[in-house]
Amino acid sequence: MTSEITLFVNPTAGRGRGAHAAQPAASALRDAGFSVRTVLGSDAPDALRRARDAVRGGTGALIAVGGDGMISLALQAVAGTRTPLGVVAVGTGNDFARGLGLPVRDPAAAGRSVAGALKGGDIREIDLGRVVPGRAGAGVGTGDRRDAERWFGSVLAAGFDSRVNDRGNRMRRPSGRLKYDLAMIAELAAFRPLPYRLALDGGPPRDIEATLVAVGNGPSYGGGMRICADAELDDGLLDVTVVGACSRTTLVRVFPKVYRGTHLGHPAVTSYRVRRIELEAAGVTGYADGEPLGALPLTAECVPRAVRVIGC
């Protein structure tokens, strides 16, 4: 592996922690003998283009510095390649790093961990989810599907949780976690179950009413909410959690259990393990790793060993 590696930085992650995190992470890597090039972008598309250029140019590793959104961008650049991904998690949620047992909000430790793992060849291949718009085999041509596909490492959300994201993203104030807490309260006031159509592993479609459907490559989203608590990152499967039609009171009672993963035992919750899911619901936006995918329908599948992650 070349000693030249790329630091992929989001300076605004974690209310500015990304900018402060880049320096100690880079120092740890340089102290270990690596030549470090830093890549920034004027916006997300520009950052992704630069990251893909670095991967195509043969960088020895792409090290993402930021939160889950930055890691999501990095996954789009390295998925399906031999370029390993390093993670310096300094965002708000950091679910991808937590799921892998990597350091969180300690950029110097994360940089040392990445450097040591690169030198020791400590690289793990894990699965990713791959999403394309529409139903499998319908609506989008092969080339267009490839252009439109998105990779995710943690959870795809579709339902009450994604509507909270929608509302939170429209709110200018307050900032940070409080904004999404307020968005959740507002969505609870307007809460009602939604009609879904889903098909698992190419089986016949089934029509259900549900509060949300979450598709997990990893166990958590939203900063430790273990919505797909039993998901494993290298089993070749996606875990699907369906919270069925329930009252507002039931939802409020079940919600705190998500942080421990004990909600999976509630009678309103059903779980599946699948290789592929086709998901439809009117007026619902899909979010993967906290990033908007667009309106349903969509198809998600597990791609085994899709990315090489450093030091996990």
Side-chain angles (χ1 to χ4, degrees):
M1 185 198 76
T2 176
S3 63
E4 296 181 359
I5 61 178
T6 301
L7 209 62
F8 187 40
V9 181
N10 178 2
T12 65
R15 302 184 192 180
R17 282 192 295 267
H20 296 293
Q23 184 173 353
S27 295
L29 290 161
R30 291 190 177 107
D31 289 346
F34 292 98
S35 174
V36 180
R37 173 183 173 231
T38 300
V39 167
L40 300 168
S42 57
D43 54 23
D46 181 56
L48 178 56
R49 179 186 62 78
R50 292 171 184 268
R52 284 175 166 160
D53 286 347
V55 170
R56 282 192 292 264
T59 187
L62 186 69
I63 315 300
V65 182
D68 286 326
M70 194 62 173
I71 293 164
S72 176
L73 269 185
L75 289 176
Q76 312 314 307
V78 300
T81 75
R82 297 298 296 168
T83 303
L85 173 67
V87 176
V88 178
V90 292
T92 303
N94 304 311
D95 288 286
F96 187 76
R98 293 178 197 277
L100 291 167
L102 296 172
V104 170
R105 297 183 185 171
D106 188 341
R112 290 192 298 269
S113 175
V114 168
L118 280 172
K119 283 186 169 293
D122 182 13
I123 295 175
R124 175 186 174 191
E125 293 183 326
I126 66 168
D127 308 336
L128 291 177
R130 180 168 59 195
V131 184
V132 292
R135 296 180 296 278
V140 183
T142 301
D144 293 335
R145 289 177 75 87
R146 191 180 302 116
D147 294 339
E149 72 183 15
R150 287 278 297 275
W151 300 87
F152 67 96
S154 298
V155 176
L156 185 160
F160 175 78
D161 42 8
S162 62
R163 289 191 165 184
V164 170
N165 263 325
D166 283 340
R167 184 180 290 270
N169 291 341
R170 293 193 301 267
M171 295 168 61
R172 294 187 178 182
R173 296 180 181 177
S175 61
R177 196 65 160 277
L178 180 57
K179 176 168 68 174
Y180 291 95
D181 290 342
L182 294 176
M184 181 177 294
I185 292 169
E187 282 300 316
L188 274 172
F191 168 76
R192 59 181 175 80
L194 301 167
Y196 288 84
R197 172 168 289 186
L198 55 92
L200 306 178
D201 285 334
R206 62 183 78 176
D207 293 315
I208 62 171
E209 279 207 338
T211 301
L212 64 86
V213 178
V215 182
N217 181 62
S220 72
Y221 64 1
M225 297 166 61
R226 297 177 58 80
I227 188 70
C228 299
D230 295 332
E232 299 178 5
L233 289 160
D234 56 4
D235 63 354
L237 297 169
L238 299 171
D239 280 38
V240 179
T241 299
V242 178
V243 179
C246 61
S247 68
R248 186 181 294 110
T249 301
T250 298
L251 182 58
V252 170
R253 287 176 177 169
V254 171
F255 177 77
K257 299 176 183 290
V258 174
Y259 287 95
R260 300 186 302 275
T262 54
H263 65 291
L264 295 179
H266 192 278
V269 179
T270 307
S271 300
Y272 307 92
R273 279 190 169 167
V274 301
R275 290 180 173 82
R276 188 181 75 193
I277 178 172
E278 299 167 51
L279 187 59
E280 297 182 50
V284 174
T285 302
Y287 281 77
D289 293 343
E291 299 300 306
L293 297 171
L296 274 57
L298 56 77
T299 299
E301 64 178 341
C302 182
V303 180
R305 302 172 69 177
V307 66
R308 305 173 72 224
V309 182
I310 299 165
C312 60

